């Protein structure tokens, strides 16, 4: 086992992966094991995310780009790597059509002041620094800061919000804001775009969560959590062989 102390930084997605399946985190971040596959949902999320970053960036500069064309370019990039994509019930063409419809339905909010804003937070002297990027920062009508994260979902709103409350609690330590929200892109027959207000975790809870998760990483916790997350897991073959 490679000590977690060798980790030079943490991120929301790392911590989220660990809490979902510690073994998956260990394969990825400790062993740097080669990926056997990538789930199409992951490639789709990356393509939507990168496309809308371009749309928001253009809007921030008073410009517009063709979102559908941008998605097509990002989708081709996302599935063109050497690692095979694991598709579920939707084919690559289905997902291309869904993605184009989804990003076309998105309208950037006014007064964007930051897109993919990088940040670093020191939560505790005994923890690695936490790094990340904030999807979107804007000002509301009164000039207050609003921090937003963009999510794709199978429904109009997210019903399980603990993970995004933690994520936005972390962001609030980097960029304290008056309002926090997620922009939910619903992959429905008619795509939906819904702004969902989120109450972020308080400072104390964020710090405690990261301390506890890092202590578990450092202690070598790496049990497998078998379930829906195994479908398309990049390390599923290796995990099955390990037992
Ligand atoms: S296959 Fe399942 S249990 Fe194994 S590492 Fe992946 S998510 Fe975890």
């Amino acid at each position: 086992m490679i000590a977690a102390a060798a980790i030079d930084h943490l991120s929301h997605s790392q911590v989220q992966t660990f809490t979902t399946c510690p073994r998956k985190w260990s394969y990825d971040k400790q062993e740097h094991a080669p990926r056997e596959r990538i789930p199409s949902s992951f490639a789709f999320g990356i393509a939507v995310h990168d496309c809308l970053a371009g749309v928001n960036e253009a809007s921030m500069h008073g410009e517009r780009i063709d979102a559908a064309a941008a998605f097509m370019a990002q989708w081709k990039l996302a599935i063109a790597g050497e690692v095979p994509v694991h598709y579920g019930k939707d084919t690559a063409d289905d997902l291309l059509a869904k993605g184009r419809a989804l990003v076309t339905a998105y309208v950037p909010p006014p007064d964007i002041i930051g897109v993919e804003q990088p940040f670093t937070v020191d939560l505790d002297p005994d923890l690695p620094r936490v790094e990340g990027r904030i999807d979107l920062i804007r000002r509301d009508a009164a000039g207050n800061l609003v921090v937003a994260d963009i999510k794709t979902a199978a429904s109009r709103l997210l019903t399980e919000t603990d993970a995004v409350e933690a994520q936005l609690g972390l962001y609030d330590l980097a960029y304290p804001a008056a309002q926090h929200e997620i922009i939910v892109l619903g992959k429905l027959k008619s795509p939906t775009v819904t702004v969902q207000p989120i109450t972020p975790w308080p400072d104390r809870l964020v710090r405690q969560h990261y301390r506890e998760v890092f202590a578990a990483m450092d202690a070598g916790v790496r049990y497998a959590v078998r379930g829906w997350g195994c479908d398309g897991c990049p390390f599923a073959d290796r995990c099955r062989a390990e037992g």
Side-chain angles (χ1 to χ4, degrees):
M1 185 196 72
I2 302 158
I7 295 169
D8 68 348
H9 76 279
L10 292 170
S11 66
H12 168 74
S13 67
Q14 262 202 67
V15 167
Q16 190 60 22
T17 299
F18 186 88
T19 53
T20 307
C21 178
R23 187 185 284 186
K24 183 177 176 182
W25 172 83
S26 177
Y27 284 146
D28 190 22
K29 298 298 179 189
Q30 291 190 292
E31 297 182 31
H32 305 290
R35 289 169 183 258
E36 299 151 9
R37 64 189 64 75
I38 56 168
S40 57
S41 56
F42 181 77
F44 184 83
I46 296 277
V48 169
H49 179 272
D50 290 353
C51 166
L52 293 187
V55 170
N56 287 328
E57 181 87 31
S59 175
M60 184 168 67
H61 297 295
E63 298 165 2
R64 287 187 63 182
I65 62 171
D66 181 339
F71 179 79
M72 192 185 315
Q74 293 296 345
W75 177 239
K76 282 182 179 169
L77 264 182
I79 62 174
E82 287 177 8
V83 181
V85 178
H86 172 83
Y87 290 97
K89 66 178 174 48
D90 287 331
T91 65
D93 286 345
D94 292 338
L95 291 170
L96 173 60
K98 280 188 182 179
R100 284 166 59 96
L102 209 51
V103 299
T104 302
Y106 176 79
V107 177
D111 293 326
I112 297 175
I113 58 170
V115 175
E116 290 295 298
Q117 183 68 35
F119 70 85
T120 302
V121 174
D122 289 311
L123 293 177
D124 185 300
D126 294 330
L127 289 182
R129 68 187 183 281
V130 185
E131 295 181 355
R133 284 179 181 272
I134 298 174
D135 285 349
L136 192 146
I137 305 178
R138 66 179 178 87
R139 291 204 183 276
D140 66 11
N144 299 311
L145 221 54
V146 181
V147 162
D149 194 73
I150 299 173
K151 302 284 185 201
T152 53
S155 52
R156 201 177 67 79
L157 291 171
L158 289 196
T159 47
E160 298 281 337
T161 57
D162 264 345
V164 288
E165 289 167 24
Q167 183 178 9
L168 293 176
L170 177 68
Y171 291 2
D172 198 44
L173 293 173
Y175 285 91
Q179 192 178 320
H180 303 81
E181 60 198 24
I182 48 174
I183 303 172
V184 185
L185 282 82
K187 294 183 284 181
L188 306 174
K189 203 167 179 185
S190 293
T192 56
V193 180
T194 311
V195 176
Q196 181 173 355
I198 295 290
T199 302
W201 278 7
D203 177 340
R204 176 193 57 77
L205 198 53
V206 174
R207 291 178 199 273
Q208 182 184 338
H209 182 58
Y210 275 75
R211 274 195 292 265
E212 289 175 353
V213 169
F214 186 68
M217 290 172 172
D218 207 29
V221 169
R222 65 179 304 283
Y223 60 87
V225 179
R226 301 194 191 283
W228 63 267
C230 300
D231 184 38
C233 170
F235 312 106
D237 297 348
R238 180 182 180 142
C239 181
R240 208 173 296 116
E242 185 178 331

